[in-house]
Amino acid sequence: YYPEARETQAKRMAARVAYCTRAVREHAPVRDAWTDQKPRIVMADLPFNNAYVSPPWFSEPISVVPTHNTTDIFAPFHLPPDPGVIGCHESVHYVQLLQAGGIHRFFTTVFGSGYTPQLGLEPWFHEGVAVYYETKLQGGIGRLGTPYYEGILAAGVAGRKINGGWLHYLNREPTHGGHYLVASFFVDWLARTHGERKLWDVVGRQANAVLPPFGVNGRFEAVYGKSLSTLLEEFDAELTRRYPVRQRPVGQRMVRQLGSDARYHRTADGWEAVIDRALDRPTTLVVRNAAGAVVVDRLLAEILPGRVLLHPSAAGASGLAFSPDRRSLYFTMLDAGPLFSKSRLVRADLGSGALEVVGDDLHGPGGGLTPDGTHYVFSRAQGDAWGIASLDLRSKSVRWVRRPEPGIYYHAPRVSPDGARILAVRSDATGTALSLVDAASGNVLPPPAVPSGPVLEASWVDADRVVYVAGAQGRMQVFVSDLRDARFRQATHVPFLALHPQSDGRVIRFLHREGWSWTLDEVAFPSGEPVDPRIQERPMFGTMVATAPSVPKLVVRPVRKDEPWDVSFARRSAVGARVAEEPVLSDEPYSQLDGLLVPQVRGPWLVVRDAYSAVLGGSALGGDRLGYHRWAA
């Protein structure tokens, strides 16, 4: 179900989701008319910035994937904000939630879509499996395909023991959620160590369990020969071996401690801005001048009516930029709107600390100011594409610098100091890379030389040099590229993860991951010989599978214990997504009568009035497919 104006986009999404659904169903232990029913997908034309599958719980199962997203929160995940790519993740949920056998299949046939036994498995298993296949089925993109995601985990678990509580969605400590981060690597370890087939054996046993919410630990023991607790202990031992405590190298120093989520920007003359938050500290803006003195230190969340921002967060902030006169700081905040998120452009007065919304909704994440401070350049969403747009801060008019192209997403655009070029991160269904765009014409220019693998968080050093993070030896490090000689240099050797590098040509400051938090660190600007991009140690992710069938088969062979584990198993065993246009069987306008009179849930009831009489009857629930109408009888 899609808006009429999005027909072409809907077909592109349907092709990828159909591929992923078929691929996952090849692994499913229960196959019948119920499990293989046509997925119901709603493409909401709203900045929902999320996607989900509503399970069969007193209604038909349905998947909701928005036509566009306006947040760059997922950019470091090596995951473009593409509805088809995101829909592949949701298709794993859809297939798993329909797995029902035995007595549950009988109840489904007789009484309708009342429930699914898969709800007896906790969210960590559902999300862990979905993240695993999100990467495996799409050529290695996704969370398990980037050293950023692994770096967050490695820094958090180094020197610590994990337990089952780290998998729970209510555990606030693991960044990005333990039921995603820790669970996806646990599932990846299970597939690598014990074979992928056993993941689906657990799903199959859950599908046939008489009491689905109970005995989950026993079902893991029946499949793996070990309890879930024992498997977690072995996983913890593997993490301890793989991620020992590491110290900063010589030449890298900590400037200050930051929170668990942070955004950072620094100018060439030394002004700094940080938006961060910690577990017990709300989102805060701190600005320091070139001398290091604090100019602004304020909470972004306000309480009383009339507040400027309703739900600010460090993760939702982007595009920090100082005005040339250093009187203002601009940033974009993904904030709550009346119904859905808005990308608000905010100006912070550095004299008073007051906030002002100068752009109610940019429809995309932020970028930066032009050198004269009159325009703010940002990403703007239009369906399954992000173009580069420019907002005139005086007239509030918006023009396209580079118009959207289907399947291509430009984010974090930064204008060069001379105003001639725009540096941006470009992502699509194959991954992320740096891109240069002519600021006047919008034409794409030859990109900077960079290492292989995903590239993130780029900024200008001067008109000819750029600094960014990319993979090296399995970790995200800071690199410098010179646009004049098409070569690059590695600037850091951080223990786990670097992000948001900024440089004035003398030093580089960046976010450094330590535990479950960030620190602001500094190294000297590299002066060594640059690296020829044709000469690299090895591909960052190892060797990919070159060819693959249209529906990948299960990998059932456990990897040898002595085989090096320098990437996730999902990435190592990834297959290229074979996406082909799906035939259209019918394409009619939606009617609110669609499925309206068909009972989705039905069943008997009995009322005992007294010792001598009782009433036996039947009941039914139903509604149209999109929920405009619901009825019960």
Side-chain angles (χ1 to χ4, degrees):
Y1 301 97
Y2 61 90
E4 185 177 5
R6 303 292 189 191
E7 178 180 354
T8 304
Q9 177 188 344
K11 291 179 179 178
R12 287 193 294 267
M13 177 196 168
R16 181 169 288 266
V17 171
Y19 153 75
C20 291
T21 301
R22 283 194 296 266
V24 177
R25 279 178 174 166
E26 284 290 311
H27 309 336
V30 182
R31 299 293 300 274
D32 55 31
W34 168 257
T35 63
D36 289 359
Q37 61 183 270
K38 182 185 293 186
R40 301 169 185 86
I41 303 172
V42 175
M43 294 187 68
D45 201 13
L46 297 165
F48 188 57
N49 290 312
N50 203 344
Y52 65 90
V53 175
S54 179
W57 184 254
F58 297 103
S59 65
E60 294 178 324
I62 197 163
S63 177
V64 178
V65 180
T67 60
H68 63 284
N69 295 278
T70 58
T71 175
D72 63 353
I73 291 175
F74 302 109
F77 296 168
H78 201 34
L79 193 68
D82 185 88
V85 174
I86 295 170
C88 189
H89 176 105
E90 302 306 323
S91 69
V92 182
H93 290 317
Y94 206 105
V95 171
Q96 183 188 343
L97 287 170
L98 290 179
Q99 290 293 292
I103 190 172
H104 308 293
R105 185 67 186 90
F106 169 77
F107 281 129
T108 301
T109 302
V110 175
F111 302 116
S113 304
Y115 76 105
T116 170
Q118 296 300 324
L119 293 178
L121 293 172
E122 291 195 14
W124 72 261
F125 187 83
H126 290 269
E127 297 300 346
V129 171
V131 170
Y132 177 82
Y133 283 104
E134 154 196 306
T135 302
K136 179 181 175 66
L137 295 179
Q138 301 188 94
I141 65 170
R143 278 161 271 213
L144 290 177
T146 169
Y148 166 84
Y149 206 60
E150 185 179 14
I152 293 289
L153 176 77
V157 303
R160 305 181 66 180
K161 290 187 66 65
I162 71 165
N163 54 50
W166 286 43
L167 298 173
H168 202 276
Y169 68 94
L170 291 179
N171 189 334
R172 297 191 304 147
E173 195 170 30
T175 304
H176 306 310
H179 59 308
Y180 282 94
L181 178 71
V182 182
S184 60
F185 280 97
F186 180 44
V187 168
D188 187 83
W189 175 81
L190 288 173
R192 174 185 180 271
T193 308
H194 299 280
E196 193 174 341
R197 177 71 253 171
K198 291 188 176 182
L199 295 173
W200 292 97
D201 289 344
V202 172
V203 173
R205 286 183 174 272
Q206 185 69 24
N208 291 282
V210 177
L211 298 174
F214 305 102
V216 173
N217 199 31
R219 285 190 272 283
F220 273 87
E221 188 165 9
V223 171
Y224 289 97
K226 304 172 184 178
S227 68
L228 182 56
S229 301
T230 301
L231 291 170
L232 280 169
E233 290 174 359
E234 293 180 357
F235 177 56
D236 174 70
E238 180 64 36
L239 293 180
T240 300
R241 180 195 66 80
R242 177 160 170 75
Y243 305 126
V245 176
R246 300 176 185 271
Q247 303 299 324
R248 289 176 175 82
V250 175
Q252 178 181 331
R253 73 177 186 93
M254 184 179 79
V255 178
R256 64 183 64 93
Q257 181 72 46
L258 301 176
S260 54
D261 281 329
R263 297 293 183 268
Y264 173 67
H265 178 62
R266 188 172 192 255
T267 64
D269 59 355
W271 282 68
E272 291 183 320
V274 172
I275 296 177
D276 74 332
R277 69 136 189 126
L279 290 180
D280 298 310
R281 176 168 51 82
T283 303
T284 304
L285 168 65
V286 177
V287 177
R288 288 178 168 83
N289 61 21
V294 175
V295 176
V296 174
D297 185 350
R298 59 156 297 161
L299 298 178
L300 292 181
E302 299 169 314
I303 299 176
L304 298 177
R307 54 192 182 271
V308 177
L309 297 173
L310 302 179
H311 189 245
S313 66
S318 60
L320 282 68
F322 285 95
S323 62
D325 59 9
R326 304 297 184 256
R327 293 182 178 180
S328 302
L329 173 74
Y330 291 85
F331 61 90
T332 301
M333 180 62 70
L334 188 69
D335 195 23
L339 289 176
F340 297 98
S341 303
K342 287 190 173 185
S343 298
R344 292 192 164 102
L345 178 60
V346 181
R347 185 183 73 86
D349 187 298
L350 301 186
S352 65
L355 303 179
E356 175 192 6
V357 174
V358 296
D360 184 58
D361 193 354
L362 299 182
H363 302 286
L369 289 171
T370 54
D372 60 6
T374 61
H375 292 76
Y376 186 82
V377 178
F378 61 98
S379 303
R380 192 175 183 91
Q382 189 177 88
D384 57 348
W386 284 3
I388 300 176
S390 176
L391 170 69
D392 189 318
L393 296 175
R394 297 160 298 188
S395 67
K396 300 299 187 290
S397 62
V398 176
R399 71 172 183 89
W400 287 112
V401 176
R402 182 165 182 82
R403 291 187 173 276
E405 306 159 75
I408 296 176
Y409 303 85
Y410 291 97
H411 50 94
R414 291 283 182 176
V415 184
S416 61
D418 59 7
R421 292 168 291 185
I422 296 175
L423 177 68
V425 178
R426 179 189 186 275
S427 64
D428 57 27
T430 63
T432 60
L434 286 190
S435 182
L436 274 180
V437 174
D438 186 275
S441 66
N443 294 331
V444 175
L445 305 173
V450 298
S452 60
V455 179
L456 305 170
E457 303 294 345
S459 63
W460 293 92
V461 179
D462 50 38
D464 296 308
R465 294 177 295 178
V466 297
V467 61
Y468 53 91
V469 292
Q473 295 82 47
R475 295 189 286 275
M476 297 302 279
Q477 304 286 359
V478 178
F479 284 81
V480 177
S481 286
D482 194 313
L483 304 182
R484 294 166 297 187
D485 60 13
R487 294 193 291 181
F488 60 83
R489 286 174 285 184
Q490 184 172 337
T492 64
H493 295 83
V494 300
F496 298 112
L497 176 64
L499 205 63
H500 292 305
Q502 309 282 325
S503 178
D504 58 3
R506 295 178 293 112
V507 299
I508 299 175
R509 288 193 174 181
F510 57 93
L511 299 186
H512 167 262
R513 196 67 178 177
E514 189 172 75
W516 290 117
S517 298
W518 296 102
T519 63
L520 180 62
D521 278 33
E522 180 182 276
V523 296
F525 194 84
S527 57
E529 189 66 23
V531 177
D532 189 319
R534 295 169 298 180
I535 304 173
Q536 298 190 41
E537 296 180 32
R538 56 179 170 80
M540 182 172 60
F541 292 122
T543 304
M544 282 188 61
V545 178
T547 59
S550 58
V551 177
K553 300 299 181 182
L554 281 172
V555 177
V556 297
R557 177 189 65 85
V559 177
R560 297 196 320 270
K561 300 291 185 181
D562 59 346
E563 187 171 346
W565 188 26
D566 58 346
V567 295
S568 70
F569 185 61
R571 179 61 178 81
R572 183 183 299 178
S573 61
V575 294
R578 296 296 181 88
V579 179
E581 185 176 350
E582 292 293 312
V584 178
L585 303 181
S586 64
D587 190 5
E588 302 294 335
Y590 179 74
S591 169
Q592 295 184 23
L593 299 178
D594 186 9
L596 178 63
L597 302 180
V598 179
Q600 296 175 8
V601 182
R602 51 203 174 268
W605 52 264
L606 175 67
V607 176
V608 178
R609 291 179 173 177
D610 51 42
Y612 304 100
S613 63
V615 178
L616 178 65
S619 62
L621 303 173
D624 70 295
R625 287 277 165 77
L626 296 187
Y628 286 99
H629 310 287
R630 299 291 294 171
W631 59 266

